[in-house]
Amino acid sequence: MSILVIAEHDNSELKQATLNVVAAAKAIGGDIDVLVAGENCGAVGEAAAKAEGVNKVLVADNAAYGHFLGENLGELVAEVGKGYSHILAAAGTTGKDFMPRVAALLDVAQVSDIMRVESEDTFVRPIYAGNAIATVKSADSIKVITVRPTAFDPVAGEGGSASVEQLDVVKDAGLSTFVGEELAKSDRPDLGSAGIVVSGGRGMQNGDNFKMLEQVADLMGAAVGASRAAVDAGFVPNDMQVGQTGKIVAPQLYIAVGISGAIQHLAGMSDSKVIVAINKDEEAPIFQVADYGLVADLFEAVPQLEEELKKVL
Amino acid sequence: MKVLVAVKRVIDYNVKVRVKPDNTGVDLANVKMAMNPFCEIAVEEAVRLKEKGVASEIVVVSIGPKACQEQIRTALALGADRGIHIETDEEVQSLEAAKLLKSVVEKEEPKLVILGKQSIDSDNNQTGQMLAALTGMGQGTFASEVVVEGEKVNVTREVDGGLMTVALNLPAVVTTDLRLNEPRYASLPNIMKAKKKPLDAMTPADLGVELAPRLSTLKVEAPASRQAGVKVADVAELVDKLKNEAKVI
């Protein structure tokens, strides 16, 4: 078996999710190659070559891939991937965009968002927003798979010494062009890979009150998230949303503040190692999944938390 | 221009999902069904394009058992002009759905195809992109804004870390994300009128598509449940437990 992993990156840095996907590839077994498609992305190729367990890194460096347009990546990955038994990518918005195109071009099914590998053709994935877990077997000769990164512990990012090969395959479908982007700037760790996440819900009452959470988060080196209710109420932007319709997180510590614990939120965070809930409603469903629950008014508890953390950190 | 919207009949999003005791799937007997929420957003977007004078005709298509016609009628009540029902009682997987929709696209020749980004039952997030690949169209996935300008459509996409805007040549495929719009409710007069709107029924065989599922579901289980932990009395106790018991700070 031979597995092609499509690297997740921003043309300058390899994203950790790639290491999680390589871990999923290792669970399948076989030679693992990594494809880095981007523009001026040589450094990413070097970084990928150091990842544990990688056999060969293929770099497709061209303006056509600079913004990861699904039409172009789809054609490239279908072309490069047709010689492999498995093609894997992280189930982020980039992988979700181009991978189904790859599958359709190769006339195979896609298995989305896998959480576990049972065997080379059988995988476990969530359905119904994580309210049911399906074990799915693929009969296709090439398995196209997106991987839920938080479900696999990453391989080491250092120590490997894969060869790096330049590809001169240029696929510009000519169907789409990049117009612009607005990316949220933050010095805090990325929500998807942070070790600690502090999230606020509708109980925060407005966007300004999220500053309280940011102060606590900065003490602990944590990322700040939000429930869909807080996003829909306009308190914070959508890219902070944790849940089935937002980011799936699985940090060491998840602190839910003023979050009731709707099913769709729980689907995004219940794999966290330790969950803390702070809510004044004793009956809130979030307490049913929390390891430590504090029934309190968050506007008193969060400033106290900041003070107590200053004492111990 | 003509807009094609694909809608799927799924378990209502308010219903608590129960796994069958024999682990063969989710219990759908006597469960309320509805249009997939992302598909409602797709229908709403098409209707708004028509209200702006951009779209001239909205064709709504659904694949599945006879009962799907309820969801087609809902879309017609919301403002779609005409319905197509591809009737089958078999399981239809994403690739097959994309092939069926491709043959509808070839017949109808819409300028824009709008679908939900995923259905809330199988959570695959595949059909729109597969349809785009099979028909050679560009795709604007996870759309939060759709602006048609001449022979192009600008789609603002919700991506990890923010928003990204792409320009696509028409015809194109758009898949909807949650913040694209807030769907309206159908009024009673429109529900009555929808009953008279045309609805064509056909089968996959009529479209020359053979259903051949590649994936088989071996079992479906309830997720491992988390146990509730302890309640702490105050913040000091919480911090102490996090530091000395859980050792996560």
Side-chain angles (χ1 to χ4, degrees):
Chain A
M1 278 185 304
S2 54
I3 303 172
L4 183 66
V5 169
I6 317 303
E8 180 107 352
H9 65 97
D10 60 4
N11 289 318
S12 54
E13 264 179 42
L14 183 72
K15 299 279 183 202
Q16 197 210 286
T18 311
L19 303 176
N20 302 89
V21 178
V22 171
K26 277 182 78 173
I28 295 168
D31 281 345
I32 301 168
D33 292 353
V34 174
L35 172 64
V36 176
E39 184 181 14
N40 298 323
C41 56
V44 180
E46 298 299 324
K50 294 190 188 122
E52 178 195 340
V54 175
N55 171 54
K56 186 166 69 179
V57 175
L58 306 167
V59 178
D61 195 329
N62 191 280
Y65 313 129
H67 297 287
F68 315 112
L69 296 172
E71 298 82 357
N72 300 351
L73 283 186
E75 287 193 12
L76 170 73
V77 175
E79 170 76 24
V80 177
K82 66 187 178 195
Y84 290 84
S85 61
H86 298 72
I87 306 172
L88 272 60
T93 48
T94 307
K96 285 177 181 175
D97 185 47
F98 75 81
M99 286 291 266
R101 272 193 101 96
V102 174
L105 293 173
L106 294 172
D107 193 28
V108 299
Q110 175 180 307
V111 185
S112 294
D113 212 17
I114 65 163
M115 309 158 66
R116 211 164 65 225
V117 173
E118 293 281 294
S119 74
E120 62 181 84
D121 62 6
T122 304
F123 311 93
V124 177
R125 60 177 301 266
I127 54 175
Y128 292 92
N131 289 306
I133 307 295
T135 302
V136 176
K137 183 176 169 130
S138 165
D140 282 313
S141 57
I142 302 177
K143 278 96 181 155
V144 173
I145 296 167
T146 62
V147 176
R148 176 174 286 197
T150 54
F152 295 86
D153 289 332
V155 299
E158 294 291 335
S161 56
S163 61
V164 179
E165 193 176 299
Q166 302 293 322
L167 290 182
D168 53 8
V169 186
V170 178
K171 297 280 185 186
D172 188 345
L175 297 169
S176 55
T177 48
F178 172 79
V179 175
E181 62 191 351
E182 286 172 53
L183 300 183
K185 292 264 177 289
S186 170
D187 294 333
R188 294 192 189 89
D190 180 55
L191 192 53
S193 56
I196 302 178
V197 174
V198 182
S199 282
R202 201 196 293 277
M204 296 304 294
Q205 293 181 3
N206 61 50
D208 285 344
N209 288 334
F210 269 76
K211 288 206 183 75
M212 297 194 316
L213 300 187
E214 290 169 4
Q215 285 165 4
V216 170
D218 289 344
L219 276 175
M220 297 188 289
V224 179
S227 69
R228 182 170 161 197
V231 172
D232 283 349
F235 300 170
V236 290
N238 184 41
D239 56 298
M240 286 174 63
Q241 189 195 143
V242 172
Q244 180 65 21
T245 50
K247 299 247 166 57
I248 310 286
V249 302
Q252 292 290 303
L253 173 59
Y254 188 90
I255 303 180
V257 181
I259 291 176
S260 62
I263 288 280
Q264 96 94 23
H265 186 74
L266 300 184
M269 47 64 83
S270 55
D271 285 336
S272 305
K273 181 159 175 266
V274 174
I275 295 174
V276 170
I278 300 174
N279 202 305
K280 68 180 174 191
D281 175 11
E282 201 175 338
E283 304 296 318
I286 189 78
F287 286 119
Q288 291 163 18
V289 300
D291 300 283
Y292 301 109
L294 175 62
V295 180
D297 181 347
L298 71 92
F299 293 101
E300 288 168 18
V302 174
Q304 285 172 14
L305 180 61
E306 190 183 343
E307 290 311 310
E308 290 292 327
L309 286 170
K310 277 181 184 161
K311 287 183 205 163
V312 300
L313 293 175
Chain B
M1 67 178 198
K2 189 192 279 189
V3 177
L4 180 70
V5 182
V7 301
K8 186 174 179 184
R9 175 183 171 90
V10 298
I11 193 165
D12 187 274
Y13 77 102
N14 283 314
V15 171
K16 173 118 179 86
V17 169
R18 278 192 315 270
V19 170
K20 284 187 198 166
D22 65 0
N23 293 116
T24 54
V26 160
D27 196 353
L28 295 178
N30 303 314
V31 167
K32 188 182 174 206
M33 303 294 278
M35 191 190 298
N36 179 43
F38 291 103
C39 303
E40 286 184 333
I41 296 172
V43 172
E44 176 68 30
E45 194 63 17
V47 173
R48 290 187 190 192
L49 285 171
K50 194 173 177 197
E51 287 168 347
K52 280 185 215 156
V54 176
S56 53
E57 185 187 22
I58 302 169
V59 180
V60 59
V61 55
S62 190
I63 305 167
K66 188 91 182 165
C68 287
Q69 295 194 3
E70 287 170 30
Q71 277 63 49
I72 295 174
R73 291 287 173 203
T74 302
L76 294 173
L78 290 168
D81 299 294
R82 181 154 70 76
I84 297 173
H85 178 214
I86 304 171
E87 189 175 345
T88 174
D89 290 325
E90 304 292 310
E91 180 199 359
V92 179
Q93 297 182 351
S94 304
L95 182 63
E96 299 164 316
K99 287 180 178 176
L100 290 166
L101 294 175
K102 177 188 181 225
S103 60
V104 173
V105 165
E106 283 167 352
K107 226 169 72 177
E108 296 284 341
E109 300 185 330
K111 278 271 177 166
L112 195 62
V113 186
I114 313 180
L115 306 88
K117 73 167 180 179
Q118 70 190 65
S119 61
I120 61 166
D121 49 2
S122 53
D123 284 334
N124 278 315
N125 196 330
Q126 298 174 358
T127 304
Q129 295 91 313
M130 287 178 162
L131 172 65
L134 295 177
T135 52
M137 287 196 251
Q139 62 189 39
T141 50
F142 329 138
S144 65
E145 196 184 5
V146 175
V147 181
V148 177
E149 281 174 358
E151 282 304 299
K152 285 196 185 286
V153 58
N154 277 9
V155 180
T156 301
R157 307 176 49 229
E158 299 205 12
V159 296
D160 295 336
L163 298 172
M164 171 182 181
T165 304
V166 291
L168 309 171
N169 300 342
L170 294 175
V173 171
V174 167
T175 75
T176 63
D177 215 324
L178 285 171
R179 262 149 296 274
L180 180 58
N181 60 49
E182 273 189 45
R184 70 194 69 190
Y185 294 98
S187 67
L188 191 59
N190 285 345
I191 291 171
M192 300 311 289
K193 267 192 252 169
K195 292 181 178 167
K196 297 199 181 74
K197 289 186 178 176
L199 198 172
D200 280 344
M202 55 194 75
T203 65
D206 293 338
L207 294 167
V209 176
E210 195 188 339
L211 296 182
R214 316 292 182 80
L215 303 176
S216 46
T217 299
L218 303 184
K219 63 178 171 186
V220 174
E221 297 163 294
S225 61
R226 249 189 122 96
Q227 298 297 317
V230 296
K231 290 264 171 48
V232 293
D234 54 32
V235 171
E237 186 189 350
L238 173 64
V239 172
D240 177 66
K241 293 235 191 253
L242 290 178
K243 188 169 176 65
N244 299 314
E245 190 177 273
K247 296 187 175 33
V248 286
I249 56 171

